[in-house]
Amino acid sequence: MLTRLAIRDIVLIEALELDFAPGLGVLTGETGAGKSILLDALGLVLGDRADSALVRAGSERGSATASFEFAALPDAVREALAEAEIDIEPGEPLILRRALRADGGSKAFVNDQPVGIALLRQLAPALVELHGQHDDRGLVNPRGHRALLDRFAGVDAASLRAAWEAWQAARRAADAARAAAAEAEADQDLLLAHLAELAALAPEAGEEHELALRRADMQKGERLAGDLEVLRHLWDGSDSPLAQMRGAARRLDRIAAEHPLLTDALAALDRAVIEAGEAEDKLAAAALALEHDPAELDRIETRLFDLRALARKHDVAADALPDTMLALRARLDAIEGGSAQIAALEAAEQAARALYAGLADEAHAQRVAGAARLDAAVAAELGPLKLDAARFATRVDALGEDRWGPHGSSAVEFLIATNPGADFAPLGKIASGGELSRFILALKVALAEQEGAAVMIFDEIDRGVGGAVASAIGERLARLAGTNGDGGGQLLAVTHSPQVAARGTTHYLIAKSSEGTVTRTSVSLLDEAGRKEEIARMLSGAEVTPEARAQADRLLEGV
């Protein structure tokens, strides 16, 4: 619900704050008093184009602020704010503000956070629905007709959309499987060749590192062969230093008991013999490890070259070649088993399509039946609104499968014919703006929409009519204000009709005054006496007569 509109330095308004309530609010005043300024200011906060001419003469900037309150944020509003990362606590008002400079620049704010104008435009349809002489949005736009008919006819649009999305997901999965299979089949010969090449080499994880170490050892052995041979000769034979040390140890062992120093000498010699023996063993092991075998070295180098060449070919590390073999086998297995997988995915796709098509057919039938009921309901409203000769029709066309979508297989558009024998045409094509407004009112009443914008505004819907027609318009506006939303609906009507004004639950008087060269527009909320006087003025003209006041009393009592 729109709860407040604050305006600063917009056209003829210097400063204005208006509080609004649920129900039907009417705005009246002399022609030219400035009723359109309120709508222009509201349009600013809803993302309309910023025109520097809106800034009051002599001011550098103007602004408009609109406050809305909800028991629960509409889904469209909540989603848009979440996308813009704007948090609103439960019960907190939604405040839109637009600041406009005289040079044409403007800034937008949502709850004091700077935002782009696009966000205001995104929020607008859920906040305000404006119908006037030149309405090109709301019910006039055929893009929204299907959703309106769906709510009227009870179509489960959410289930239909879910079935569509499930079908599209199944179709994408089947398409991807078919494409992968086709690509794999095209590469099958190459895959077989790669796999055969890898299988022939039979790479093992860690093999490259081990081979590199063995090659390095052999290369060292080739370089150290001379030194190792000399050392081997030093330790070999009966006259080698180690043999002599062992002989000395045996001789010393026989005499060591003769003196303590000999015993110590024997112990030291034994240790030397042990150490020398360990050195001999390590030299032998080193010679074996560093053994240079030209044939084995050549085999290792060839193996390393083959491993690394294949690794470069497949753009992987040599240690990853076993995994590459597994991946190639898996791709070949997928080709062999792909037909069964594709068949299963295609079956799932067909099942999803059948489910969606069934729901779409059901929705189409509901729309056709709902269209007939809606046409009858609108027709019943046209006579009292002085549209006796007009006809209304809801066209529901079945679409070809290439045009199916998340909303089903139907196209919906509201059509009218304003004169007997005339062809039906789109709702927005009729010539008379007054007729358009009354058609919209009839359609809104027939729909009794429960999920419309937070506030509906009708701008001079009663232009050019009076008497019983104006009374019928007022009665329907009041009825619509009571059904819009969950019992706390809100509708604002700019009107010149006393019959419509008398139906209002709140009444605002728009007046223009001049002081020298300065002209200002003001708006005031009327009490009961003020309402009576304003309605009397609307009935009588410039001079309010007793008869006009009496008629105003009768109008107010009649509602």
Side-chain angles (χ1 to χ4, degrees):
M1 182 181 75
L2 175 66
T3 56
R4 172 168 289 196
L5 179 64
I7 303 172
R8 295 288 184 277
D9 293 321
I10 297 294
V11 192
L12 300 179
I13 297 178
E14 184 175 3
L16 174 67
E17 289 192 6
L18 278 179
D19 292 324
F20 296 95
L24 175 59
V26 295
L27 297 94
T28 65
E30 297 282 1
T31 300
K35 293 184 288 294
S36 63
I37 301 174
L38 297 178
L39 300 183
D40 289 340
L42 189 56
L44 275 178
V45 299
L46 296 175
D48 286 355
R49 186 178 67 86
D51 186 347
S52 60
L54 292 174
V55 178
R56 190 170 65 90
S59 298
E60 294 182 358
R61 60 180 58 84
S63 68
T65 305
S67 299
F68 297 85
E69 294 185 9
F70 305 92
L73 280 177
D75 291 342
V77 173
R78 187 182 65 254
E79 292 167 4
L81 294 179
E83 186 177 347
E85 299 183 347
I86 296 175
D87 296 325
I88 293 184
E89 298 296 329
E92 182 182 359
L94 174 66
I95 303 174
L96 310 184
R97 181 164 64 90
R98 185 88 173 272
L100 176 64
R101 296 195 306 271
D103 62 8
S106 73
K107 293 182 178 180
F109 303 84
V110 173
N111 285 36
D112 290 330
Q113 297 188 47
V115 299
I117 305 302
L119 178 60
L120 299 184
R121 297 193 186 105
Q122 188 177 355
L123 294 172
L127 299 177
V128 176
E129 187 175 329
L130 174 62
H131 303 293
Q133 296 293 307
H134 306 287
D135 187 12
D136 61 352
R137 296 180 293 181
L139 296 181
V140 176
N141 190 339
R143 295 181 61 183
H145 292 176
R146 181 169 45 205
L148 291 169
L149 179 61
D150 283 354
R151 283 197 288 270
F152 181 81
V155 173
D156 187 353
S159 295
L160 188 58
R161 175 181 286 276
W164 164 265
E165 292 174 351
W167 175 29
Q168 298 310 300
R171 185 166 66 177
R172 287 192 296 270
D175 288 344
R178 285 189 288 264
E183 181 182 356
E185 287 176 3
D187 294 341
Q188 186 172 16
D189 292 342
L190 182 61
L191 290 173
L192 287 169
H194 285 334
L195 186 59
E197 188 178 34
L198 284 166
L201 188 62
E204 298 178 1
E207 182 181 9
E208 181 197 25
H209 180 66
E210 181 181 345
L211 290 173
L213 290 177
R214 289 178 61 190
R215 182 183 66 174
D217 286 344
M218 283 194 172
Q219 289 172 339
K220 290 177 184 176
E222 183 180 16
R223 188 176 69 251
L224 301 176
D227 292 333
L228 291 173
E229 183 63 21
V230 170
L231 288 170
R232 187 178 66 79
H233 282 299
L234 286 176
W235 294 105
D236 284 348
S238 59
D239 59 346
S240 69
L242 182 57
Q244 292 178 4
M245 287 176 64
R246 287 171 176 161
R250 287 193 296 272
R251 183 177 295 278
L252 185 56
D253 183 58
R254 290 196 295 271
I255 62 174
E258 300 298 329
H259 194 278
L261 289 175
L262 294 176
T263 303
D264 293 341
L266 177 60
L269 187 57
D270 285 341
R271 289 195 298 273
V273 170
I274 292 171
E275 295 288 341
E278 291 180 359
E280 181 182 33
D281 293 340
K282 292 186 182 299
L283 283 171
L288 183 62
L290 297 173
E291 182 181 9
H292 174 60
D293 182 346
E296 178 65 10
L297 179 60
D298 183 64
R299 185 194 72 79
I300 290 173
E301 289 184 334
T302 299
R303 179 74 177 174
L304 277 171
F305 177 82
D306 291 343
L307 284 171
R308 290 169 176 172
L310 273 182
R312 288 192 298 271
K313 185 174 184 177
H314 294 281
D315 195 23
V316 297
D319 281 349
L321 287 174
D323 291 336
T324 302
M325 288 181 63
L326 294 176
L328 291 174
R329 285 196 183 98
R331 291 179 63 183
L332 287 168
D333 291 343
I335 294 174
E336 296 174 1
S339 297
Q341 181 189 16
I342 290 172
L345 289 173
E346 287 177 341
E349 177 190 357
Q350 290 303 313
R353 181 197 176 281
L355 175 61
Y356 166 79
L359 291 175
D361 288 344
E362 181 181 345
H364 182 74
Q366 287 179 286
R367 287 165 179 159
V368 171
R373 298 196 309 273
L374 180 60
D375 292 350
V378 174
E381 297 292 333
L382 296 180
L385 295 175
K386 203 179 179 180
L387 294 169
D388 311 69
R391 291 169 294 148
F392 175 86
T394 304
R395 186 172 69 193
V396 181
D397 294 329
L399 302 174
E401 185 167 343
D402 60 325
R403 296 178 62 194
W404 290 2
H407 301 295
S409 57
S410 310
V412 177
E413 186 172 9
F414 299 148
L415 304 174
I416 60 170
T418 56
N419 298 304
D423 292 333
F424 281 98
L427 189 60
K429 298 295 185 181
I430 62 174
S432 167
E435 286 180 328
L436 173 60
S437 295
R438 280 178 280 150
F439 256 111
I440 289 172
L441 178 58
L443 185 54
K444 290 294 291 186
V445 172
L447 288 168
E449 190 184 355
Q450 298 296 315
E451 298 181 17
V455 55
M456 284 186 291
I457 300 177
F458 282 85
D459 183 16
E460 299 187 1
I461 189 175
D462 48 21
R463 180 186 293 269
V465 300
V469 177
S471 294
I473 290 175
E475 187 274 330
R476 282 156 177 77
L477 289 175
R479 190 197 322 167
L480 191 56
T483 59
N484 180 40
D486 53 357
Q490 185 182 43
L491 188 150
L492 300 177
V494 177
T495 180
H496 289 286
S497 168
Q499 291 89 345
V500 173
R503 289 280 180 174
T505 53
T506 52
H507 191 150
Y508 303 89
L509 175 61
I510 303 173
K512 183 166 64 174
S513 62
S514 298
E515 295 179 7
T517 60
V518 178
T519 302
R520 293 183 176 87
T521 290
S522 62
V523 183
S524 57
L525 175 62
L526 299 180
D527 57 17
E528 288 302 316
R531 289 189 68 199
K532 175 182 174 181
E533 192 69 12
E534 170 62 7
I535 292 173
R537 181 200 63 78
M538 298 171 73
L539 287 165
S540 64
E543 182 180 352
V544 180
T545 65
E547 291 80 4
R549 291 189 176 95
Q551 179 64 19
D553 282 334
R554 286 191 289 273
L555 281 177
L556 291 169
E557 290 170 0
V559 298

